Amino acid sequence: MAPLIDTFGRIHDNLRVSVTDRCNIRCFYCMPETGVKFEAREKLLTFEEIERFVRVAVSLGVRKLRLTGGEPLLRRDLAKLIRKLVAIDGIEDLALTTNGVLMAQQAQELYDAGLRRINVHLDTLDRERFKQITRRDDLAKVLDGIDTCLRLGYGPIKINAVAVKNLVEPDIVPLALYGRERGIEIRYIEFMPLDSQGLWDKGKVLLADDMIAMLTREIGPLREVPDRDPRAPATDYEYLDGKGKVGFVASISRPFCLNCNRIRLTSDGKFRYCLFAIDETDMRQLLRGGASDQAIASAIRGSVHDKWLGHEINTQRFVPPPRPMYSIGG
Ligand code: SAM
Ligand code: SF4
């Protein structure tokens, strides 16, 4: 079958599936502290529906899959879903993005189900700042989760750190050192306008260039990894002393839309061609309404065909998506 190509010639082979919109912590740049309105449980896709959708996507050329949320480890029996998905012929890479709070408890079961690649979200090694950011006192659990994964042989493990200006500057270097000591790549993600309270503005983004300057000054020179995948969102750098890597997802200061290969399925079954998309395609209705695989495939194709060139965060035209990060699946 022809690949999933849009009108700008971009081929899409990378699918992110959110398995829940619920979360056990409350990062301020994603969720409000109280009063979060979650989807009714019956609206969440079942494992069978997710598996079917992924099979159709694979028939269209999807090869890379990431499970996310909300917090994916809150989805009951997640290991069962992972087992189903790794068994799909054509999936070359399955990864999970988690806040790590429940990882120590579930790491063994998920590993046994076939999971190897994880991104753990961690912005700081400072307990007070962790509490300030997440409104929970769970830093020790996250660190325990990472240690457990290292012990079990997960790899590669990456850490996602959201870069918010006038907040996490003291954390940039300690996190990088933590990663260097453990063979973990830290990926600093510029704060994006996807929070639920409209807090974002450009002045609150800690920019990749400023972080690179801090790391170079405090740890040592970095150079861009020459053979990196041009479609990966992060620009990777290695330390000149050969000890480890850091990455920057610089959606604001270095937008990478021209190379985008990603598509998304929300936990309530909406298909999105972009994190920042306004329009969605209702796959749940198709999956539950007796649609054929062919009909689902052409709905995916149609949406990808309509994909825009990219977000316009740096322009006056930018309109934030109606759903915040936890509801889309980051
Ligand atoms: N709960 C899991 C977690 O936190 O990793 C998975 C879902 S979370 C929405 C996925 C990723 O989105 C997180 O790792 C975090 O780095 C990122 N994120 C959340 N809100 C963000 C924002 N406003 N700007 C940039 N990145 C954000
Ligand atoms: Fe939860 Fe992840 Fe959002 Fe933080 S970023 S509130 S951990 S979904």
Side-chain angles (χ1 to χ4, degrees):
M1 241 195 258
L4 268 179
I5 191 158
D6 68 11
T7 52
F8 303 97
R10 295 172 294 196
I11 293 174
H12 296 76
D13 60 0
N14 188 327
L15 172 65
R16 300 169 81 93
V17 175
S18 172
V19 295
T20 181
D21 58 348
R22 284 148 176 85
C23 191
N24 43 359
I25 62 176
R26 291 285 181 277
C27 308
F28 75 88
Y29 42 68
C30 177
M31 277 190 164
E33 185 164 9
T34 53
V36 191
K37 290 204 173 56
F38 296 116
E39 295 290 346
R41 280 184 200 277
E42 63 273 13
K43 289 193 174 165
L44 300 188
L45 294 188
T46 64
F47 287 173
E48 290 67 31
E49 288 165 343
I50 292 174
E51 184 190 2
R52 179 167 173 222
F53 182 86
V54 171
R55 282 188 190 280
V56 174
V58 166
S59 77
L60 298 172
V62 164
R63 295 290 171 262
K64 292 182 80 170
L65 195 58
R66 178 174 294 274
L67 299 181
T68 180
E71 174 46 38
L73 300 191
L74 288 181
R75 181 78 190 244
R76 197 180 317 149
D77 294 329
L78 183 68
K80 283 190 184 152
L81 177 65
I82 287 174
R83 236 176 251 284
K84 284 176 189 289
L85 297 177
V86 289
I88 295 177
D89 226 11
I91 290 293
E92 292 166 3
D93 183 40
L94 174 77
L96 173 87
T97 301
T98 171
N99 62 32
V101 174
L102 296 171
M103 204 59 197
Q105 287 169 36
Q106 299 188 22
Q108 182 72 59
E109 194 188 359
L110 299 177
Y111 189 93
D112 293 344
L115 183 67
R116 294 293 179 271
R117 245 161 59 68
I118 55 166
N119 284 43
V120 182
H121 171 200
L122 176 64
D123 303 330
T124 177
L125 298 170
D126 178 90
R127 183 172 168 191
E128 285 312 310
R129 207 150 30 253
F130 186 95
K131 274 164 51 180
Q132 185 188 351
I133 293 172
T134 67
R135 292 119 162 188
R136 297 289 185 276
D137 191 8
D138 284 335
L139 174 63
K141 289 185 189 160
V142 179
L143 296 177
D144 188 24
I146 295 171
D147 286 343
T148 308
C149 290
L150 284 167
R151 216 171 32 248
L152 289 174
Y154 274 86
I157 301 175
K158 293 181 182 169
I159 285 180
N160 289 352
V162 180
V164 183
K165 198 168 178 165
N166 296 327
L167 181 66
V168 299
E169 284 84 346
D171 301 303
I172 301 302
V173 170
L175 268 180
L177 293 172
Y178 172 90
R180 250 160 82 90
E181 280 157 19
R182 291 165 180 77
I184 294 175
E185 177 176 335
I186 312 293
R187 304 192 122 185
Y188 300 95
I189 304 176
E190 289 180 347
F191 178 23
M192 294 185 262
L194 291 165
D195 61 291
S196 58
Q197 295 164 292
L199 299 173
W200 186 91
D201 74 57
K202 210 171 167 186
K204 295 191 180 120
V205 183
L206 180 56
L207 301 174
D209 281 350
D210 294 335
M211 293 185 272
I212 292 170
M214 282 182 210
L215 295 172
T216 306
R217 197 171 54 237
E218 304 286 329
I219 300 181
L222 290 163
R223 75 153 172 242
E224 201 171 324
V225 175
D227 58 349
R228 67 181 199 93
D229 176 357
R231 300 194 308 161
T235 312
D236 285 330
Y237 287 77
E238 54 198 8
Y239 296 100
L240 280 193
D241 67 6
K243 206 170 159 205
K245 277 201 282 190
V246 281
F248 299 90
V249 179
S251 317
I252 313 300
S253 64
R254 305 177 189 173
F256 38 82
C257 304
L258 292 180
N259 292 320
C260 183
N261 64 347
R262 295 166 170 224
I263 48 180
R264 297 169 188 269
L265 185 67
T266 65
S267 56
D268 60 332
K270 304 287 165 38
F271 181 80
R272 300 174 64 83
Y273 58 63
C274 173
L275 189 51
F276 295 94
I278 305 294
D279 299 327
E280 307 181 320
T281 306
D282 191 349
M283 295 293 169
R284 189 183 70 221
Q285 201 179 19
L286 291 176
L287 287 160
R288 294 188 182 171
S292 64
D293 285 358
Q294 218 173 359
I296 294 168
S298 57
I300 298 176
R301 251 189 218 297
S303 173
V304 171
H305 178 268
D306 291 345
K307 180 164 174 159
W308 57 22
L309 186 55
H311 68 68
E312 297 186 311
I313 293 174
N314 293 315
T315 74
Q316 293 292 331
R317 291 186 298 277
F318 177 68
V319 181
R323 291 168 175 252
M325 192 65 134
Y326 71 88
S327 157
I328 298 171

